[in-house]
Every structure is written in C-alpha cells, then in structure tokens.
Amino acid sequence: GSLTPGQALVGVVQRELTRLMGGDLTDAERDLDLATQPPAVILLAYLRLVPDAFATPVPQAMFGVAVFFALLVVTQAPALRKAPFALSAWAYSFPVAAFTVATIVMADHYGGVLLAAAWAMVAGVTAIIAALTVRTMVAIGRGALFVPE
C-alpha cells in the first residue's frame, strides 16, 4: 500500500535522527541524505511522493522553510559578487533554481501573489545562470580555471 503523508514524514524524521545520532543506515537510506538538500528540493520530493499532499499543512510549512533558506542565500549575494569567481559559485544556482520550481508549483496550486513571484523568480534565476555562464566563459578565456594550486 501507499504511505500516508504522516507516515512519510515520520520515516524521513526517523532516518535523519538516526543519522544525527550516529546510527547505522542502509545504503539506500544513506543515499537519501536530506541534510544536504535545499528545503525546496525536499518540498518538491514530498509533493511528488505523497498523494494529496496539499490536503495537509506540510507543503505550506516546508515552503516557509524554503523561503527562509532563500532569504539567507539572498543575504549572501553582496559577498558572492565581490568574491573572486570560482566554479563553486555554480553551487548557488541549484538551490535558487529549486526554490523557483517550488514557487511555481505552489503558485499553480494557490495562485495569487505567488504567481507574480514565480515569474519574477524565473527571470531572476535565468539572469543568475546567464551571469554564471558569462563569468565561467571569461574565466576559461583567461585560463583562470582548472589550474593547479
């Protein structure tokens, strides 16, 4: 049978607590290490895996955590722009893109101001990826990437 939303959430919490307390996890459980995933990715997985997920308050709570995480990333933007470019800058594109997709999914369900936010975020993530692409090409042209330390 299928899991209820509560059962799925209990399973995720149990695995994370086991990992945090140094317990043994199976290979499959270790592969599902949610601690390294942006909250928006966890939200998207939850919405995909749990039937009738929107019938519970869990998506709203997860989206709230994703908004908080996104705001933390935004506070880092000035420092990131000043830092010398490295390929690791691409690591920020994944959580921003995931949050954009999560906002689109939430807007599709709830509508309203989220729809305008989703379009703004699509434009923003497109600009971020374009800027990272340009900076990567410039760094390659200068021979500044893939050099031994």
Side-chain angles (χ1 to χ4, degrees), residues 27 31 43:
D27 288 341
D31 289 344
L43 168 62

Side-chain angles (χ1 to χ4, degrees), residues 47-79:
L47 292 174
R48 185 80 174 147
L49 296 172
V50 177
D52 298 323
F54 283 110
T56 71
V58 174
Q60 295 93 335
M62 288 182 170
F63 189 68
V65 172
V67 168
F68 178 75
F69 183 80
L71 292 173
L72 286 176
V73 171
V74 167
T75 65
Q76 300 301 310

Side-chain angles (χ1 to χ4, degrees), residues 3-149:
L3 294 175
T4 67
Q7 290 170 325
L9 188 59
V10 167
V12 168
V13 170
Q14 185 270 332
R15 281 189 299 278
E16 286 303 299
L17 287 174
T18 300
R19 185 189 61 77
L20 286 170
M21 297 181 79
D24 291 329
L25 296 174
T26 66
D27 288 341
E29 290 171 333
R30 236 184 322 282
D31 289 344
L32 185 66
D33 185 5
L34 296 178
T36 61
Q37 301 305 316
V41 172
I42 299 169
L43 168 62
L44 291 169
Y46 180 82
L47 292 174
R48 185 80 174 147
L49 296 172
V50 177
D52 298 323
F54 283 110
T56 71
V58 174
Q60 295 93 335
M62 288 182 170
F63 189 68
V65 172
V67 168
F68 178 75
F69 183 80
L71 292 173
L72 286 176
V73 171
V74 167
T75 65
Q76 300 301 310
L80 291 173
R81 279 195 299 267
K82 292 178 186 174
F85 180 75
L87 284 178
S88 58
W90 279 94
Y92 287 93
S93 66
F94 176 68
V96 172
F99 182 64
T100 300
V101 172
T103 304
I104 291 167
V105 170
M106 295 297 280
D108 185 51
H109 186 76
Y110 293 108
V113 71
L114 280 177
L115 189 57
W119 279 109
M121 293 189 65
V122 167
V125 77
T126 301
I128 289 169
I129 291 172
L132 286 168
T133 301
V134 168
R135 291 188 78 183
T136 301
M137 294 300 160
V138 168
I140 290 171
R142 292 183 180 158
L145 294 182
F146 311 115
V147 292
E149 292 183 12

